[in-house]
Amino acid sequence: MTAYETTTATAESKKNSGADEAYVALALQTTCLAINTCPSVDDARRKIMENISRVAAQIASSKAFIGSDCRLVVLPEYFLTGFPMGDTIPAWRDKACFAMEGPEYAALAKVAQDNRIFLAGNAYETDPAFPDLYFQTCFAIDPSGDIVLRYRRLNSMFAPTPHDVWEKYLEIYGLEGVFPVARTEIGNLAAIASEEILYPEIARCMAMRGAEVFLHTTSQTNEVVRAPKDVTTVARAVENMGYVVSANSAGIQGTALPCSSADGGSKIVNYKGLVLAKSGLGESMTAYADIDLNALRRYRRRPGMENILSRQRFELYAESYNRFCFYPADTMGDAPPQREQFVQNQLDTIKKLESLGVI
């Protein structure tokens, strides 16, 4: 049984009669206390566990304030580590990445169990099938402590992705493992990593597989003028007729980057594109709102112009997608890549697009 099949089977077994009830989701806006300046791997690992304890306290107090029907908490992108700044891929793998069955996930599972919630977040993760790499992974843990969703980011500027080792990745996980959807008692959950909200195909491939609630873990600018990710968060909800629970950082401390560059704007958007709740700046639990699965499912089953999912004609686009290759697959060999390789891959792609007259 593949990892995806195991996850799906576990999620299916959790389904119960409460699946159609409304519940409250929280996009918890917490500060990222980065580990970049930790002097050793041991210090970095210790700080990660301290960060888990800190977030656990915020979750418990937030649920106490909101109420017992808060059943889903989504945390920001790389909320426990920050992102690599100057580290090589091997150095960051050793310092920051979680093993798939490692102690960090065990600690997060206990947070989900203690608070009786589905807990979603984002971390850098190793995989024994790819020992020289790591993947940026979105996860969801159910109230019993089981990981029911594991999605690896597919578009990244400076980190390895499944697409970079595409043939082998498909052999191990299959296409359903690339676009996983967890069928749970709080709806069909799918994950979107940070800037992938800008790529409509990611959410669409999840919607094709039945996704109803999109868990968007992000760390993005919250500008006075409307930022692209702010626009596309609403767009993904409308075009896929689903909820988007988008948790942003409350700043990143511990790096040379100005700490409030990624701060604020966590939100919950419903299937009609209405922003149900949105946080301002700083640490906040104010982005919480009802997720009404009954209403969503009625909306999806109602005929009419607004039912975008039922009006999709994918055959119109399939040939164009098959014909054109922009960014190539399988760009990584056996050795760990240098970060300069990612820039060169993009430069090569731009040159190719110029020669084709695309740009």
Side-chain angles (χ1 to χ4, degrees):
M1 181 177 285
T2 67
Y4 170 78
E5 289 168 337
T6 301
T7 297
T8 302
T10 301
E12 287 283 2
S13 70
K14 304 295 181 182
K15 293 179 73 176
N16 62 29
S17 59
D20 290 339
E21 296 177 1
Y23 63 91
V24 174
L26 165 64
L28 182 59
Q29 191 166 286
T30 186
T31 304
C32 170
L33 303 180
I35 64 169
N36 300 73
T37 59
C38 288
S40 70
V41 170
D42 287 343
D43 287 325
R45 294 294 171 177
R46 191 160 40 248
K47 186 165 186 177
I48 288 170
M49 298 307 286
E50 290 172 357
N51 287 344
I52 292 175
S53 296
R54 176 178 176 272
V55 171
Q58 292 183 329
I59 290 171
S61 59
S62 297
K63 179 168 180 176
F65 182 91
I66 296 169
S68 60
D69 58 346
C70 179
R71 303 189 63 197
L72 170 63
V73 176
V74 179
L75 294 162
E77 184 183 24
Y78 40 69
F79 65 104
L80 297 175
T81 62
F83 58 92
M85 295 184 68
D87 290 284
T88 64
I89 285 178
W92 189 252
R93 183 188 61 225
D94 294 341
K95 179 192 292 186
C97 297
F98 302 175
M100 293 174 70
E101 306 295 334
E104 297 86 4
Y105 280 127
L108 291 166
K110 189 174 186 305
V111 176
Q113 291 172 314
D114 289 347
N115 293 281
R116 300 181 298 281
I117 58 170
F118 284 78
L119 180 62
N122 178 278
Y124 292 96
E125 180 181 77
T126 57
D127 186 326
F130 302 92
D132 292 323
L133 304 178
Y134 60 76
F135 299 108
Q136 191 177 346
T137 300
C138 297
F139 60 85
I141 303 171
D142 75 5
S144 69
D146 292 329
I147 297 178
V148 295
L149 182 68
R150 176 176 265 124
Y151 164 72
R152 268 80 179 266
R153 180 170 171 171
L154 297 170
N155 295 273
S156 182
M157 185 67 194
F158 292 111
T161 76
H163 188 246
D164 297 314
V165 286
W166 189 232
E167 185 175 347
K168 182 177 178 181
Y169 199 91
L170 282 179
E171 287 177 2
I172 297 171
Y173 293 106
L175 193 60
E176 301 310 311
V178 175
F179 299 109
V181 174
R183 298 181 182 275
T184 77
E185 63 198 64
I186 63 166
N188 300 340
L189 308 179
I192 304 173
S194 189
E195 70 158 355
E196 289 196 319
I197 201 75
L198 302 175
Y199 295 79
E201 293 86 356
I202 299 293
R204 180 69 84 205
C205 285
M206 307 295 193
M208 289 176 184
R209 291 162 171 81
E212 297 173 317
V213 182
F214 295 93
L215 315 174
H216 181 220
T217 58
T218 189
S219 187
Q220 63 192 52
T221 59
N222 180 31
E223 302 167 18
V224 176
V225 295
R226 201 169 193 188
K229 291 182 186 178
D230 199 32
V231 174
T232 52
T233 300
V234 174
R236 300 297 87 85
V238 171
E239 66 197 15
N240 295 295
M241 301 173 70
Y243 286 95
V244 177
V245 183
S246 179
N248 193 24
S249 303
I252 303 174
Q253 297 181 7
T255 74
L257 188 74
C259 63
S260 293
S261 297
D263 184 358
S266 298
K267 64 179 70 65
I268 297 179
V269 185
N270 80 352
Y271 47 88
K272 293 184 177 181
L274 300 176
V275 177
L276 303 179
K278 184 175 182 178
S279 293
L281 300 176
E283 294 201 311
S284 176
M285 42 66 64
T286 55
Y288 67 90
D290 287 344
I291 304 295
D292 190 338
L293 295 177
N294 268 335
L296 179 149
R297 290 166 181 171
R298 285 196 304 270
Y299 188 67
R300 284 183 165 190
R301 292 165 183 162
R302 180 186 300 130
M305 291 185 66
E306 292 183 336
N307 195 328
I308 297 172
L309 275 182
S310 67
R311 299 176 63 209
Q312 290 300 322
R313 304 178 188 227
F314 296 129
E315 294 81 3
L316 292 174
Y317 324 119
E319 184 178 347
S320 293
Y321 275 108
N322 285 330
R323 183 187 302 176
F324 292 95
C325 173
F326 285 13
Y327 195 98
D330 286 309
T331 59
M332 294 183 184
D334 295 330
Q338 301 295 315
R339 297 202 184 277
E340 293 80 5
Q341 177 182 336
F342 297 105
V343 176
Q344 188 59 53
N345 289 342
Q346 188 179 37
L347 289 172
D348 292 344
T349 299
I350 291 171
K351 185 176 181 180
K352 179 175 70 174
L353 298 184
E354 287 179 326
S355 67
L356 293 173
V358 175
I359 58 176

